[in-house]
Amino acid sequence: AEDQEPEALEPAPRLVVPDSRRLEAVVDDLRIGRKVTDAAFDAIYPQQIRDLSARHWTPVAVAMRAASLLAQGPDTRVLDVGSGAGKFCLVAALTTPGRFVGVERRGHLVDLARSIGDRYGAEGAEYLHADIAEVDWGSFDAFYFYNPFVENLFGGRERIDSTVDLAPARYERDMALTRERLMEARVGTRVVTYHGPRAGLPWGYELCDFEPCGSDVLELWVKVK
């Protein structure tokens, strides 16, 4: 069979960040430990991003718990692989000591995440517009995965958008690269997965926590060898 033509990429959408005192109060509530629903928190994002939240962005309660499992103190550096609109890093930085860095291929989502982080004073959140192969994984102590590569296997309507190339071959490439980088990580490296691959992590990682959270489970893995 002949190779299919690659899908044409769409232009990046224009995203306007909402601005109101009510939204600032929601972020303040989260920062001081009050319960904040996803509907309330997601209102800090443009409508296009809110519409994607239930399927693609980490829920607030899940982000808080995952961050607490990953961050061992203010010097911990956590990489969120496939950070999207930056919700995990933002929630984590507002509620947990540590440095949370998201890597994302969609530049318009990185710009949005940076703008929102700046607006709400999330000093512990940072975002990289890059391919995961371009990141120095060795500079991080911990990693968060919300099944970041599975979008390559989705049909068009299930995807975030068509501004980046997506294909099953890329899924396999990114999974293999991730496995390689995690094998190279130092002993003590922590990994949390949410809706993660059931095959588990590479040899040398021990499953240290497994708990229901959100619509799935959080798994904490620690490299012991």
Side-chain angles (χ1 to χ4, degrees):
E2 295 183 0
D3 292 337
Q4 293 183 338
E5 289 292 327
E7 184 177 336
L9 300 183
E10 299 174 350
R14 181 174 178 269
L15 301 173
V16 179
V17 180
D19 186 12
S20 78
R21 291 186 179 277
R22 178 181 60 82
L23 298 180
E24 292 177 3
V26 169
V27 173
D28 288 341
D29 282 345
L30 183 67
R31 186 181 277 111
I32 65 176
R34 289 180 181 154
K35 184 176 180 179
V36 173
T37 66
D38 283 287
F41 186 82
D42 288 347
I44 70 174
Y45 292 101
Q47 187 63 54
Q48 303 99 304
I49 300 302
R50 276 180 256 170
D51 292 343
L52 296 166
S53 185
R55 182 169 183 81
H56 292 285
W57 319 137
T58 303
V60 170
V62 175
M64 292 175 65
R65 180 56 182 153
S68 72
L69 292 171
L70 290 166
Q72 298 297 285
D75 295 328
T76 304
R77 284 175 53 82
V78 179
L79 181 66
D80 176 13
V81 179
S83 54
K87 185 176 176 180
F88 168 76
C89 290
L90 180 60
V91 172
L94 292 172
T95 61
T96 311
R99 187 77 184 173
F100 298 88
V101 181
V103 57
E104 169 60 46
R105 288 200 295 145
R106 290 177 168 94
H108 61 287
L109 294 185
V110 173
D111 290 342
L112 174 67
R114 288 172 176 166
S115 295
I116 290 179
D118 289 344
R119 173 166 293 177
Y120 294 107
E123 296 179 358
E126 178 184 345
Y127 302 96
L128 306 175
H129 179 204
D131 185 283
I132 61 170
E134 300 167 340
V135 176
D136 177 12
W137 291 51
S139 66
F140 293 92
D141 309 294
F143 301 91
Y144 175 67
F145 296 92
Y146 177 12
N147 217 353
F149 312 127
V150 74
E151 190 187 359
N152 285 285
L153 308 179
F154 288 167
R157 291 185 178 181
E158 297 175 295
R159 295 174 175 175
I160 294 171
D161 59 39
S162 298
T163 62
V164 295
D165 58 299
L166 297 164
R170 187 172 187 99
Y171 175 87
E172 298 297 336
R173 173 264 197 187
D174 287 347
M175 288 292 291
L177 189 149
T178 295
R179 190 173 183 85
E180 179 182 312
R181 295 294 185 269
L182 292 179
M183 289 178 67
E184 295 170 349
R186 54 187 172 272
V187 170
T189 294
R190 300 168 77 87
V191 176
V192 166
T193 63
Y194 179 60
H195 285 276
R198 296 303 182 208
L201 269 68
W203 179 88
Y205 284 83
E206 180 178 296
L207 181 60
C208 297
D209 196 6
F210 179 95
E211 56 187 76
C213 199
S215 59
D216 196 62
V217 297
L218 285 176
E219 295 181 355
L220 169 65
W221 299 80
V222 179
K223 189 170 187 183
V224 296
K225 298 179 181 179

